Amino acid sequence: MRFKFIPIPVRINDQIIADRIINGLIFDIKHFALHDGPGIRTTVFFKGCPLNCWWCQNPESRGSEIEELTINDSSRNRNASISVPETVGRMVSVSGIMEEVEKDRIFYDQSGGGITISGGEPLLQPDFLIELLTACRKEEITTAIDTSGFAEIEILERLFGLVDYYLYDLKLMDEDLHRKNTGVSNQSIIHNLAWLAAEGEKVIVRVPLIPDITDTKENLKAIAHFVKSLESDITVDLLPFNLLAKDKFHRFKLPNKLMKMQTQAPEQIDRMVDYFQTLGIPVTIGG
Ligand code: SF4
């Protein structure tokens, strides 16, 4: 049976939205990104996220303001860290980002790449996001958004025609587990994904495989059946667990539960792929 779309209201902490018509808050720009959508891409990381996933690979992305932190710095001595101050986040204009993006244009042309707006949560700064996407449209640069999907439906409606690819993180189908592990309900995330599918948007669902949390048979089968119910050409990327963020947790002096976890074995991944392929859903390992 096809999924029925019912709008769900979302309460979002909108403290960072005010006064951001022209400038936006980001924490990084990465050139030559290979796992953030098709081709070679420039990834712009917006700062601020309404979710609080404890496994977040970008823990510095979550705060909705410029942060003055004291971090562990081991760049000068691999065996010892010293505490140093660091500013995380900066305000930028659309033209400032476009200057960076233009440097990579030659790679987009050759690889089918473009800009990816990630985070944090891009949908948390909708006015700035729309300005940036509009500038990319004018310059004929393809666009992708890496989003949790946690937003008012009206924000997605405003993006219509400006986004070539949605990289849509879908973590947990069980609402209680979603609340427990991310701090928010998954209802708007599920309904917004259904809306994008119904509108024919190009969506790649990305599932972070967190051991014993998101990578369970029950959760992955629920995601597979939900994607199937959307009757669209959505594809799925399964993102095996990795420890790439461990240095960041040390750097930002955060408690690190990741270290106790291990990445999935190849045979486990094969089984997970099967849950999707048996329903005819194209699935890729990694992004
Ligand atoms: S939604 Fe993404 S950016 Fe936000 S806390 Fe979760 S993993 Fe981090």
Side-chain angles (χ1 to χ4, degrees):
M1 187 175 52
R2 193 173 167 82
F3 187 86
K4 273 180 80 176
F5 175 71
I6 305 164
I8 297 286
V10 180
R11 283 181 64 97
I12 289 180
N13 177 350
D14 60 357
Q15 59 180 307
I16 70 166
I17 294 175
D19 302 328
R20 298 274 169 77
I21 304 302
I22 296 171
N23 293 324
L25 177 61
I26 69 167
F27 72 93
D28 201 7
I29 296 178
K30 184 168 75 177
H31 296 272
F32 313 116
L34 297 174
H35 301 286
D36 294 334
I40 298 173
R41 311 195 69 84
T42 309
T43 304
V44 180
F45 293 90
F46 281 28
K47 185 158 161 47
C49 184
L51 277 66
N52 191 20
C53 315
W54 57 261
W55 58 78
C56 184
Q57 298 270 314
N58 293 319
E60 75 276 42
S61 74
R62 291 182 293 198
S64 302
E65 62 286 314
I66 295 173
E67 295 175 84
E68 304 294 341
L69 302 176
T70 304
I71 63 159
N72 286 322
D73 182 2
S74 45
S75 59
R76 285 167 236 181
N77 182 343
R78 296 179 84 189
N79 300 319
S81 298
I82 56 169
S83 290
V84 297
E86 182 167 300
T87 302
V88 179
R90 63 184 193 272
M91 297 300 295
V92 289
S93 63
V94 166
S95 58
I97 292 180
M98 292 306 289
E99 270 177 37
E100 289 292 313
V101 167
E102 284 292 343
K103 292 177 190 169
D104 296 342
R105 185 187 277 272
I106 186 171
F107 302 110
Y108 307 155
D109 295 343
Q110 290 172 357
S111 69
I115 186 173
T116 296
I117 303 166
S118 182
E121 175 49 67
L123 302 180
L124 201 53
Q125 301 183 67
D127 296 321
F128 181 64
L129 175 64
I130 287 168
E131 276 201 44
L132 179 55
L133 291 170
T134 303
C136 291
R137 272 283 175 270
K138 280 188 194 146
E139 296 300 324
E140 300 183 350
I141 292 168
T142 66
T143 58
I145 290 186
D146 183 2
T147 178
S148 70
F150 185 78
E152 298 282 0
I153 189 72
E154 289 78 12
I155 293 175
L156 291 176
E157 288 171 351
R158 289 174 64 198
L159 298 183
F160 199 76
L162 293 174
V163 182
D164 295 305
Y165 303 96
Y166 283 88
L167 311 178
Y168 202 101
D169 293 354
L170 194 51
K171 301 171 179 70
L172 287 156
M173 291 301 289
D174 181 276
E175 186 175 8
D176 291 338
L177 288 177
H178 198 280
R179 277 186 192 279
K180 181 177 167 195
N181 287 286
T182 73
V184 302
S185 163
N186 61 3
Q187 290 301 294
S188 65
I189 293 168
I190 288 169
H191 283 78
N192 288 345
L193 177 54
W195 184 83
L196 289 172
E199 293 295 325
E201 294 282 5
K202 177 72 184 157
V203 180
I204 302 165
V205 164
R206 309 220 305 177
V207 186
L209 298 175
I210 311 302
D212 300 325
I213 297 180
T214 65
D215 76 348
T216 64
K217 181 176 176 181
E218 192 179 34
N219 184 51
L220 294 175
K221 283 198 163 184
I223 290 175
H225 282 282
F226 172 61
V227 169
K228 180 72 178 173
S229 76
L230 298 178
E231 297 178 10
S232 69
D233 58 1
I234 287 178
T235 60
V236 171
D237 287 350
L238 297 179
L239 310 178
F241 177 73
N242 65 68
L243 284 171
L244 294 177
K246 75 175 166 40
D247 291 340
K248 277 195 180 179
F249 278 79
H250 173 70
R251 187 172 169 79
F252 292 107
K253 302 187 175 188
L254 294 168
N256 186 355
K257 292 194 243 174
L258 301 178
M259 289 304 288
K260 297 181 187 140
M261 298 183 155
Q262 291 189 329
T263 193
Q264 292 82 11
E267 54 273 22
Q268 281 179 288
I269 300 282
D270 288 346
R271 273 199 301 276
M272 295 170 191
V273 166
D274 270 355
Y275 304 149
F276 293 86
Q277 285 185 335
T278 53
L279 294 178
I281 300 167
V283 56
T284 304
I285 309 300

